[in-house]
Amino acid sequence: MKKNKLALVTGGSRGLGKEMALRLAEHGHDVILTYHTQKDAGDEVVKHIESLGQKAAALSLDTSNVSSLTEFVQQVQ
């Protein structure tokens, strides 16, 4: 049984992060992407990735707040 690879892309709701998330999905990877304030944009990227046949999730992450990492890790698990 072949398992898909899972990629984590920070800042995946827009710009270079978005493009990276989409390219990874096009190459057969499932993607977790993060956003800071752009939830709607993150959700749109998830829809696009799912339309390519891959799994995806958009999770909030504020990298300037170290204490937010615990909640982020729990969401990933």
Side-chain angles (χ1 to χ4, degrees), residues 21-22 25 31 33 45-56:
L22 295 174
V31 180
L33 60 98
V45 176
V46 167
K47 287 179 189 176
H48 190 156
I49 290 170
E50 290 174 341
S51 77
L52 297 171
Q54 299 306 126
K55 295 178 184 176

Side-chain angles (χ1 to χ4, degrees), residues 13-28:
S13 65
R14 58 191 182 94
L16 293 174
K18 174 183 174 180
E19 293 304 314
M20 179 60 68
L22 295 174
R23 296 301 84 73
L24 286 163
E26 288 172 354
H27 286 92

Side-chain angles (χ1 to χ4, degrees), residues 61-75:
L61 177 63
D62 179 359
T63 56
S64 69
N65 180 0
V66 175
S67 65
S68 72
L69 289 174
T70 302
E71 182 180 340
F72 175 74
V73 170
Q74 290 172 347
Q75 289 177 339

